[in-house]
């Protein structure tokens, strides 16, 4: 039954942002996404885990960039694609992905 109303209170609906890492498709709760940004170079952090690409500062906020391809043990991300900037428990994190398909 299509009502045209998205995420009405009490419906237990969830909106996802669909994205790709390599040839795999994933989704993230749109409520946790602050913004999306084109890839920009990051500053490496010495001694950090391999999955941490580094940090960058869009709009004077320091954000940690995570290489999702590395987290999924599928290699490392190329210097292209997008950052999905999220906020979990008051912590800003950017996930580096190949492409974003939509909501």
């Amino acid at each position: 039954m299509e009502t045209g109303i998205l995420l009405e209170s009490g419906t237990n609906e969830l909106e996802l942002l669909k994205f790709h890492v390599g040839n795999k498709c994933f989704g993230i709760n749109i409520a946790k996404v602050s913004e999306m940004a084109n890839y920009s170079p990051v500053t490496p952090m010495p001694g950090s885990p391999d999955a941490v690409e580094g940090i960058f500062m869009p709009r004077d906020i320091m954000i940690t960039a995570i290489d999702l391809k590395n987290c999924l043990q599928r290699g490392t991300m190329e210097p292209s694609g997008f950052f999905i900037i999220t906020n979990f428990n008051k912590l800003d994190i950017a996930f580096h992905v190949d492409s974003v398909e939509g909501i």
Side-chain angles (χ1 to χ4, degrees), residues 6-103:
L6 290 177
L7 302 179
E8 186 175 319
S9 180
T11 62
N12 293 327
E13 293 178 324
L14 175 68
E15 246 182 335
L16 296 175
L17 177 66
K18 191 174 178 182
F19 62 90
H20 297 269
V21 176
N23 60 355
K24 299 287 184 184
C25 184
F26 300 91
I28 186 170
N29 184 346
I30 197 73
K32 297 295 185 181
V33 175
S34 302
E35 67 180 290
M36 291 181 351
N38 289 324
Y39 173 82
S40 61
V42 298
T43 303
M45 294 175 34
S48 65
D50 292 339
V52 175
E53 256 183 84
I55 57 171
F56 68 113
M57 292 186 64
R59 298 188 186 101
D60 297 328
I61 299 169
M62 187 178 304
I63 298 176
T64 302
I66 303 296
D67 181 337
L68 272 186
K69 196 176 274 186
N70 187 288
C71 284
L72 298 169
Q73 299 175 356
R74 298 189 179 278
T76 57
M77 295 294 298
E78 297 295 323
S80 62
F82 296 91
F83 285 127
I84 299 175
I85 301 173
T86 63
N87 187 286
F88 289 97
N89 297 327
K90 300 181 182 179
L91 180 64
D92 294 315
I93 298 176
F95 295 104
H96 188 178
V97 301
D98 288 316
S99 64
V100 175
E101 190 169 321
I103 298 173

